[in-house]
Amino acid sequence: METFSIGRAAIDVGVSTRAIRLWEARGLIPPAQRTASRYRLYSEADLSSMKFIRQAKLLGLTLGEIKRILETRQAGTVPCDEVRRLIDRRVADIDCTIAELTRLRATLDVARCHSQTPAMDPASNGVCLIIETANPLDS
C-alpha cells in the first residue's frame, strides 16, 4: 500500500498542508499514520477523502456540513438527499446574494451619475455628496 507525505498529499489534492492538518484536527479525515520520526503518512483512501472535501468546499459547503455528510456515509447510508438539501440552500443563498449585489450595482450606478454634479461646498459639514446621497436601501 502506497503512502503519501503531507506535502505530497497536499500537491495531489490541490490544497495546503495547513488545510489537511485542519481537516484532520476537525475529524474530517482520520488521524494520519506516523513514521518513527512523527511525519504524517496518508493512504490512497485518505487522499480520496481529501479530494471529496476539497470538491465539497468548492461547492460552498462548510466543514461542519462536509463532516456530517462523511459521517452519514461512514454509517452506511448514502447521503445524497442531505447533499441535495444543502445544495438547494446554497443556491438560494447565492440567489439572495446576487439580488443584493444587483441592488448595490444599481445604487453605485446612480452614485456614479451623481458624481458628475458639482463638488460639495468645502465649508459644509458634509464629507462627500456622492456617498451621502446614495441610498442602497431604495434600489
Side-chain angles (χ1 to χ4, degrees):
M1 174 177 82
E2 185 176 5
T3 57
F4 305 85
S5 68
I6 193 168
R8 170 80 190 279
I11 290 168
D12 286 0
V13 174
V15 298
S16 67
T17 57
R18 184 176 181 204
I20 293 173
R21 287 187 196 98
L22 174 68
W23 298 345
E24 186 177 331
R26 298 252 180 112
L28 279 86
I29 57 174
Q33 300 173 36
R34 300 285 185 141
T35 66
S37 54
R38 307 285 301 143
Y39 288 105
R40 286 176 168 86
L41 292 177
Y42 296 98
S43 67
E44 298 256 358
D46 294 330
L47 264 64
S48 179
S49 293
M50 289 178 205
K51 289 175 183 176
F52 175 85
I53 295 165
R54 179 179 179 267
Q55 182 67 18
K57 287 288 296 163
L58 289 172
L59 293 175
L61 300 177
T62 67
L63 291 181
E65 292 166 338
I66 296 166
K67 184 174 183 181
R68 284 194 309 274
I69 292 165
L70 291 171
E71 289 171 345
T72 299
R73 185 63 183 128
Q74 289 164 357
T77 304
V78 177
C80 294
D81 288 339
E82 181 179 358
V83 170
R84 278 187 199 92
R85 283 189 297 276
L86 291 170
I87 289 175
D88 287 346
R89 187 172 12 164
R90 181 74 178 124
V91 167
D93 290 345
I94 290 169
D95 288 343
C96 183
T97 300
I98 289 170
E100 290 170 359
L101 289 171
T102 300
R103 285 190 299 275
L104 177 58
R105 171 64 190 258
T107 300
L108 292 174
D109 284 342
V110 169
R112 189 179 333 157
C113 290
H114 286 185
S115 70
Q116 306 302 319
T117 61
M120 176 177 271
D121 178 3
S124 75
N125 288 331
V127 177
C128 177
L129 279 176
I130 297 169
I131 293 174
E132 291 170 4
T133 59
N135 192 349
L137 300 177
D138 286 343
S139 296

